[in-house]
Amino acid sequence: MILNTHIGAKVEPMNPVTLTALAAGSTVGYSLAGSWGTSREFPVIEYSTDGGSTWSTMEKDTPITLTNAGDSIQLRSSTGDNFAYSTSIYTKITGTGQLKLSGNLLSMQQDFAYHQKFTHYGFLGLFRANTAIVDASEFIPRVQALSKTYCLGYLFYGCTGMTAGCQIPDNYVDPNDLSNVSSCYYDMFYGCTSMTTGPDRLPCKYATKSMYSNMFYNCSALLKAPEIDVEYAAAATDAASVFASMFNGCKALVEPPSTIKLEVLGTSCCSGMFNGCTSLPVAPVWILGDNSIGGTSVFASCFNGCTSLVRGALFSRLITSEMCPTARSGIFNAMYQGCSSLTT
């Protein structure tokens, strides 16, 4: 079953979330992490194994076997706000064997209106530690709105078998609500140690607190960073830790984002961003606004331990005291510590 969903001016296929067996006997199920108690509503997940002709309710902790390689299971839900309540209480799609993940995450938000916001933690940890997922390149993590906290955080955390990550769509975020949105993609691919290819671009124009923090932390096989389209933040607090430790430990990374643009750089905005990227040869270009420095430790340890770095960061303008409304400490603290090959 293929539906279409209108996203602004675009039309995008809304295939249900689909897991296809790459090896005979692979399984798919779901479990609930943490203590849910009696007051929280559980998600209701439906599944189809015949291409969407018939649907049944999936039982918790009762995995379904895909007998043959090429068999697939589709998932949907009309309880999109009941998947996660905290960083320790969330729903996990589980699997064994080898699986390809595809389809559109909107199929798990069938009860949501256009641009409706989460009231809880969205789809935090939905595929966390699902080591059976090998390929997510055709999966679309679309939600009606980036909202609340960690709504796509920890999504693939610890998926150590995944070699190909997904693209990131231009998810909507309310520009008038930035201060209430944080950590949207926090730890999204954390510890995906086999992932060699990830998203090509991060298209959201607005920055929120810790938005991409730790996103690719310890993705030790990742070769190329996505381009980053972030430009705006309503205030320095919204730009705090936006890129903190984003590529920390990406030891194979050789191609950084070409440019990073942000009107205001908040506290720890880029701290540890490329820490331990031992193969990185050059740093990005930062395009700065007129009053850019809105916090402390902005670039602290940004390139710490980048032993192959020969060209440091380029800035679109000279950083002067006029760019700091008040005195800021530790802006460049240990920015190039351990960069033993640095020449410019």
Side-chain angles (χ1 to χ4, degrees), residues 15-339:
N15 304 10
V17 171
T18 302
L19 292 117
T20 302
L22 301 178
S26 298
T27 68
V28 175
Y30 87 95
S31 63
L32 302 177
S35 177
W36 286 62
T38 58
S39 61
R40 296 183 179 91
E41 294 186 53
F42 294 169
V44 176
I45 299 175
E46 294 182 319
Y47 73 94
S48 173
T49 56
D50 59 7
S53 296
T54 57
W55 293 86
S56 303
T57 300
M58 180 176 279
E59 299 296 329
K60 178 174 70 74
D61 298 323
T62 308
I64 294 160
T65 300
L66 302 174
T67 305
N68 303 305
D71 289 351
S72 63
I73 184 169
Q74 295 178 320
L75 306 177
R76 70 182 188 185
S77 178
S78 295
T79 56
D81 214 19
N82 300 339
F83 277 76
Y85 291 88
S86 75
T87 55
S88 60
I89 301 173
Y90 57 93
T91 305
K92 293 200 306 181
I93 303 298
T94 59
T96 63
Q98 289 186 313
L99 299 166
K100 178 177 180 176
L101 174 66
S102 60
N104 195 318
L105 191 54
L106 275 182
S107 72
M108 308 298 264
Q109 275 191 299
Q110 295 192 119
D111 55 327
F112 273 48
Y114 184 60
H115 287 175
Q116 181 178 332
K117 299 172 184 177
F118 292 107
T119 58
H120 301 302
Y121 279 58
F123 294 112
L124 177 147
L126 187 61
F127 301 102
R128 184 170 183 166
N130 189 333
T131 57
I133 295 176
V134 174
D135 182 356
S137 59
E138 295 181 21
F139 176 65
I140 304 172
R142 171 76 69 186
V143 293
Q144 287 292 356
L146 296 174
S147 45
K148 302 299 285 187
T149 304
Y150 300 112
C151 63
L152 291 171
Y154 302 91
L155 192 69
F156 296 105
Y157 185 109
C159 290
T160 54
M162 187 167 67
T163 60
C166 61
Q167 298 298 318
I168 303 297
D170 188 10
N171 280 316
Y172 172 77
V173 60
D174 184 349
N176 298 311
D177 193 40
L178 298 183
S179 61
N180 294 316
V181 182
S182 68
S183 307
C184 306
Y185 298 102
Y186 184 92
D187 277 10
M188 186 176 189
F189 297 102
Y190 188 112
C192 292
T193 52
S194 299
M195 188 173 74
T196 57
T197 59
D200 296 324
R201 183 170 295 277
L202 303 178
C204 187
K205 299 290 185 184
Y206 294 98
T208 67
K209 184 177 180 181
S210 301
M211 187 172 196
Y212 299 117
S213 182
N214 292 5
M215 187 175 184
F216 301 96
Y217 197 108
N218 201 29
C219 289
S220 52
L222 185 67
L223 298 170
K224 182 180 183 296
E227 294 297 323
I228 299 173
D229 290 350
V230 163
E231 295 184 23
Y232 310 108
T237 51
D238 300 327
S241 302
V242 174
F243 308 117
S245 295
M246 186 175 182
F247 301 101
N248 194 318
C250 292
K251 296 185 292 185
L253 191 71
V254 293
E255 190 172 343
S258 57
T259 58
I260 297 172
K261 180 179 181 181
L262 197 56
E263 289 182 330
V264 178
L265 300 173
T267 294
S268 301
C269 177
C270 303
S271 65
M273 187 173 182
F274 297 96
N275 184 75
C277 292
T278 53
S279 299
L280 190 70
V282 296
V285 175
W286 265 269
I287 301 175
L288 305 177
D290 292 336
N291 297 299
S292 294
I293 310 300
T296 61
S297 305
V298 173
F299 295 103
S301 300
C302 187
F303 299 99
N304 182 51
C306 293
T307 53
S308 297
L309 194 71
V310 295
R311 194 208 74 195
L314 301 176
F315 295 97
S316 62
R317 56 177 298 172
L318 183 67
I319 296 178
T320 64
S321 59
E322 286 76 19
M323 297 172 66
C324 305
T326 59
R328 303 297 184 189
S329 63
I331 292 173
F332 299 107
N333 186 46
M335 183 174 180
Y336 295 108
Q337 183 169 294
C339 295

